[in-house]
Amino acid sequence: MTQATRITVRDIPPRATWTLEQGGLHPLLARLYAARGIRAMDELDTRSSALLAPDKLKGTGEAATLLADAIAAGRKMLIVADYDCDGATACAVGLRALRMMGATVDYLVPDRFTLGYGLSLEVAQLAAARQPDLVITVDNGIASVEGVAELKRLGIATLITDHHLPANLANEEMPDADVIVNPNQPGCDFPSKALAGVGVMFYVALALRAELRRRGAWAVQPEPNLAGLLDLVALGTVADVVPLDRNNRILVAQGLARIRGGQMQAGVRALFSVAGREPGRAATFDLGFALGPRLNAAGRLADMSLGIECLVTDDPGRAMNIAQQLDAINRERRVIETDMREDAELLLASLDAGNRASLTLFDPGWHQGVIGILAGRVKERLHRPTFAFARGNAGELKASGRSIPGLHLRDALDLVAKRHPGLLLRFGGHAAAAGLTLAEDRLAEFEAGFEQVCRELLSPAELTRTLETDGPLESGYFSLEAVRLMQQEVWGQAFPAPIFADSFEVLNQRILKDKHLKLKLQKGGQRFDAIQFNFSDGFANGVPGRIHAAFRVDINEWNGTQTVQLMLEHFEAA
């Protein structure tokens, strides 16, 4: 069962395309960028000098003062991290930057299965046992009212660095921290609301370096080069799937440039190695689909301390050893995910997804650490906001959800919580992804309440999957040079990688490994190899002789030979 898909073509403004071409941009890139809202060459400036200034981000000045004072007094700091890739990279940036500037700092990452997300009361008590003078959160904390209160009661200062939405925007219920740095907190007019947690921590580090410069710290020692951390910033930003607005594109472009130039942490280099990717040709795809999942696997199945250690060690041998462990954990995650997807298929067979506005899935045997991936897979296939639940502790269920354009998932949960007081024990997240905890005996109540909210907020058009493409690709651009040109650019959430659409004759077809569809296609005088992974849209009599397809262009390497290959996102009879 797969949701119907509508293939559309983006508007490509001719004047903007012409302006970009006149500015010296390659004609193909000019067309692609114009279709993504770029109107002038200066919007493509990815030099670090084009970054938004740290002092524009509310709280950075106060955070810099707090940290500089703590360093001067020799106070102990403790970073409380999140257990995903953004949290791990943010923690690594914090540890490396603070140690460069003379701080005494360690870290704590909660066990997702026993302690859950964020600076909860239990995590605050665990942190306090380490006897820090200052606790710094990365990629969490904005909703940690109880945890911050507990640390305050114990006389421990707190600095929150986060990018999530506050727990309750209406009441502006904020933790009573010493300082909060979060572009999404009330009263912050930072132009980029899309910073990832690692981006926020990087900005705090920039502000601290500037504060120490004002205090004369670099008169007697070299000023630390924080640009050396941009590989970590790029990795966390891409892996957290935050919108790649201009500021985030600069951070990612700078990080990729350093990786391609061989300037990266030992752990990043090791992750490229175990993933079988070449750092010299690094692209956002590598960060999001090769390195990110291997780091995330530690937090999903084991302990994210393993991922953080990989990113903070300077010993290449130790980094490689840890990267190999992460790779093994990721393989285990794939096996678990495959089993869960088979369970989900059975559940979905009993549902009429076409008549629903949402999907709520639960199986007692599902693994907490993998439900987010499962929710994402089901959402992609059926184009419905989806929550997947697994058993937690003491009769609780934990869920991870993924949404579709048109539904802000965290706001939808807020509405469910208001209509059903006490139903959601905890919840939080973003527009596209969110998590929650509830009592197992109230699952049916949540399913009905969430379905009702989705029916109200989503139009029939929004419940139809739309695949936005860049239209046909000119015949001269089906080349290795054109593919490499596109792969060198920064693509991601809200700034999507190019997908093209065209009609082809099907010359032959076969199934690989019982699940992947391999095609030989022809258009005009050109022939192309094409593949669709996890092919499930079976046609009764095989693939028709002529298809209309939405596709990416990629490079297939076999026996040392490189050829252009079409990666089919969707196709239908032409």
Side-chain angles (χ1 to χ4, degrees):
M1 178 173 57
T2 301
Q3 184 64 13
T5 299
R6 188 164 58 99
I7 297 175
T8 64
V9 178
R10 291 185 182 88
D11 178 48
I12 304 169
R15 177 174 288 277
T17 305
W18 180 84
T19 300
L20 295 173
E21 282 191 46
Q22 293 302 302
L25 197 61
H26 188 285
L28 175 57
L29 294 181
R31 170 161 83 87
L32 296 172
Y33 277 131
R36 285 154 181 75
I38 301 298
R39 296 293 176 264
M41 286 298 293
D42 62 357
E43 295 175 59
L44 297 174
D45 182 0
T46 57
R47 291 175 297 178
S48 56
S49 58
L51 277 173
L52 294 168
D55 59 11
K56 294 180 182 292
L57 181 58
K58 180 181 178 182
T60 52
E62 295 88 338
T65 300
L66 179 69
L67 291 168
D69 288 348
I71 291 170
R75 297 190 183 111
K76 285 174 59 180
M77 305 181 196
L78 181 71
I79 293 176
V80 174
D82 186 21
Y83 40 67
D84 67 358
C85 186
D86 187 21
T89 52
C91 183
V93 165
L95 288 168
R96 285 184 171 278
L98 288 167
R99 286 170 180 169
M100 283 182 204
M101 293 184 262
T104 302
V105 58
D106 202 352
Y107 73 94
L108 164 69
V109 57
D111 184 310
R112 79 184 296 157
F113 308 114
T114 59
L115 295 170
Y117 168 79
L119 183 65
S120 62
L121 181 61
E122 296 82 2
V123 172
Q125 291 167 345
L126 199 61
R130 305 271 285 269
Q131 298 183 314
D133 302 296
L134 170 63
V135 166
I136 304 160
T137 70
V138 292
D139 193 31
N140 74 91
I142 197 64
S144 303
V145 176
E146 287 186 347
V148 170
E150 175 68 4
L151 291 176
K152 194 178 188 74
R153 184 184 71 79
L154 295 169
I156 300 170
T158 50
L159 163 59
I160 289 174
T161 75
D162 200 354
H163 67 127
H164 296 91
L165 292 170
N168 192 329
L169 279 172
N171 298 330
E172 295 191 5
E173 182 186 10
M174 302 282 282
D176 187 22
D178 290 73
V179 182
I180 297 176
V181 184
N182 182 337
N184 291 302
Q185 67 176 306
C188 182
D189 56 4
F190 190 66
S192 173
K193 300 297 182 185
L195 275 179
V198 67
V200 176
M201 188 63 229
F202 182 69
Y203 264 79
V204 169
L206 291 174
L208 172 59
R209 184 179 64 178
E211 174 62 23
L212 292 173
R213 186 186 302 134
R214 281 190 287 272
R215 298 186 183 195
W218 314 128
V220 293
Q221 59 178 306
E223 187 167 305
N225 178 19
L226 296 179
L229 304 176
L230 283 165
D231 59 333
L232 298 172
V233 178
L235 173 55
T237 298
V238 172
D240 210 45
V241 203
V242 292
L244 292 190
D245 61 10
R246 184 186 177 194
N247 205 61
N248 277 341
R249 291 202 307 278
I250 294 170
L251 290 170
V252 173
Q254 287 289 318
L256 281 173
R258 297 189 71 83
I259 291 169
R260 290 169 188 158
Q263 298 172 290
M264 70 200 92
Q265 318 307 320
V268 172
R269 186 184 299 278
L271 287 167
F272 267 96
S273 178
V274 298
R277 305 291 177 121
E278 290 185 34
R281 297 208 305 243
T284 49
F285 188 87
D286 298 311
L287 302 182
F289 293 94
L291 275 68
R294 283 168 171 80
L295 272 176
N296 274 326
R300 293 186 188 283
L301 302 188
D303 180 355
M304 188 42 104
S305 297
L306 198 62
I308 294 169
E309 287 300 316
C310 184
L311 300 179
V312 297
T313 183
D314 291 321
D315 180 340
R318 183 161 188 263
M320 179 57 73
N321 180 267
I322 297 173
Q324 288 167 343
Q325 292 179 60
L326 293 172
D327 188 54
I329 295 168
N330 191 50
R331 287 197 298 272
E332 180 188 351
R333 185 271 303 168
R334 286 178 182 160
V335 172
I336 293 170
E337 182 199 339
T338 299
D339 291 343
M340 288 170 58
R341 286 171 75 172
E342 290 172 358
D343 294 339
E345 290 288 346
L346 295 175
L347 284 173
L348 291 167
S350 64
L351 299 173
D352 184 1
N355 288 323
R356 297 174 64 97
S358 69
L359 293 169
T360 297
L361 307 174
F362 167 61
D363 186 284
W366 283 352
H367 194 292
Q368 275 185 50
V370 188
I371 50 176
I373 296 176
L374 179 65
R377 304 284 192 209
V378 173
K379 182 270 296 185
E380 284 297 321
R381 186 172 150 203
L382 297 177
H383 196 71
R384 294 290 184 270
T386 301
F387 273 99
F389 283 81
R391 281 197 167 127
N393 302 318
E396 292 182 351
L397 295 182
K398 293 186 176 182
S400 190
R402 300 293 183 267
S403 193
I404 62 176
L407 185 83
H408 192 297
L409 200 55
R410 187 232 168 254
D411 288 356
L413 289 181
D414 195 39
L415 193 52
V416 171
K418 288 182 171 67
R419 292 180 178 179
H420 302 266
L423 172 63
L424 304 186
L425 302 176
R426 291 176 293 280
F427 72 93
H430 302 285
L436 66 93
T437 303
L438 50 70
E440 184 168 342
D441 59 6
R442 300 189 73 177
L443 178 62
E445 183 183 351
F446 169 79
E447 181 174 12
F450 183 57
E451 172 70 14
Q452 182 60 38
V453 165
C454 291
R455 284 187 178 277
E456 293 170 13
L457 297 181
L458 287 165
S459 68
E462 288 168 326
L463 288 170
T464 299
R465 181 186 183 219
T466 299
L467 198 52
E468 204 172 20
T469 75
D470 295 288
L473 179 63
E474 294 88 335
S475 60
Y477 293 144
F478 285 96
S479 68
L480 294 173
E481 293 74 23
V483 177
R484 291 191 188 106
L485 181 74
M486 289 184 280
Q487 288 180 344
Q488 290 294 298
E489 301 302 300
V490 173
W491 314 105
Q493 183 72 7
F495 204 80
I499 295 179
F500 302 98
D502 212 334
S503 296
F504 302 90
E505 291 178 56
V506 178
L507 301 180
N508 60 54
Q509 56 187 286
R510 58 196 174 100
I511 299 294
L512 305 178
K513 298 181 181 177
D514 296 324
K515 58 181 179 178
H516 308 312
L517 176 67
K518 182 84 171 176
L519 299 174
K520 177 73 78 173
L521 304 177
Q522 179 171 288
K523 179 177 172 58
Q526 292 179 295
R527 294 187 175 190
F528 310 100
D529 286 323
I531 191 166
Q532 185 176 52
F533 291 112
N534 300 310
F535 175 69
S536 59
D537 304 330
F539 291 87
N541 300 308
V543 177
R546 188 167 174 79
I547 60 171
H548 186 64
F551 60 93
R552 292 184 293 110
V553 283
D554 199 4
I555 297 173
N556 183 42
E557 191 160 346
W558 177 253
N559 286 340
T561 302
Q562 293 185 334
T563 56
V564 173
Q565 180 171 252
L566 311 190
M567 316 294 287
L568 302 184
E569 299 286 331
H570 175 76
F571 68 88
E572 55 202 29

